[in-house]
Structure formats: C-alpha cells, structure tokens
Amino acid sequence: IPTGGGGGIIQIVRAQSTTGNQTPGSSDETSYTDVTPTCTITPTSTSSKILIVGSVGCIQKSNNHTAIALTRTSTIIRKWFYYCQTSYSPLHFGGWHLDSPSTTSATTYKYSISSQGTQGDFMWNYLGPSTTEPLRQAEMYLIEVSG
C-alpha cells in the first residue's frame, strides 16, 4: 500500500477440507475437538489485521448446546454457540472475525467443536445422505488487511 494510499487487502490465504462428518470427541461442552481445515498466514506487518472467514455445512440434533471455537495458535479468540432441541437440523456456519495478531510470524488459525449431548449428534462438514458427494468441503479464508 503506498504511503497515504489508504487501507486494502494485502494477501488472501485459503484452506479447504473434504473430511466429513467430524464429531466432538466427548459430550462435555467444555471440551473442544479440533476440526479441519487449519490455515496459516504470515502477516507482512505487525499493524495488519486478519479477517477470518469460515464456511461449512453442519448438522445437529437434540444437543442442549453446540459450540464452535476459533483459535489463533493455541488461544481461543472467538466462540459461537447454537442450540437445538428437535430432530436433525441443518446449520451453515459462516462466521467472520477480525483479528489483530500483532506479529509478522506465521500464524495458524483453526476451528474446534463442542457439544453437550451425544457425540454423533453434531457433525462438522456434514456430507449428506451419500458420503461420495464431491463438492462438500469446509473452507477457511484468511485475508490480511492493512491496519
């Protein structure tokens, strides 16, 4: 960005995963299980901000609480909570978060899931009725913007 040129996008990094039907590792709502994809970006300036954009289809059933956590390196920086009291219900996760990592070192972001209820009743990157669906994928975009 030229001096006095205002802000803008510096770089975009994308990760995707076709690993489907990922479920929480326990029915303890305070225990999170990492899911794919993870994505790494190396900011060009300590003043840059990173816009994290997720996109994934999920399904949940009769869970008192379902949670999705966004982690930078090993620190949870954002959580989203959902509630489902009925039979299976679709959930499209499209969470956005603007982060200020204040570093020029490689920085990794990932999602983790949690559920209070039966483990298989929440599925990250739900594949649908057929496990051969070719276009099902979880995505994460990291967009570095000037600070």
Side-chain angles (χ1 to χ4, degrees), residues 24-34 67 76 112-116:
S26 76
S27 59
D28 175 5
E29 66 186 61
T30 62
S31 176
Y32 285 84
T33 301
D34 294 345
I76 293 176
S112 303
I113 57 174
S114 170
S115 176
Q116 178 187 26

Side-chain angles (χ1 to χ4, degrees), residues 29 59-68 80-92 114-117 121-122:
E29 66 186 61
I59 195 166
Q60 60 181 350
K61 173 187 172 190
S62 303
N63 291 309
N64 290 333
H65 297 95
T66 299
I68 299 170
W80 293 266
F81 292 94
Y82 302 92
Y83 181 76
C84 177
Q85 192 177 15
T86 62
S87 59
Y88 282 110
S89 175
L91 167 74
H92 181 267
S114 170
S115 176
Q116 178 187 26
D121 284 350
F122 178 61

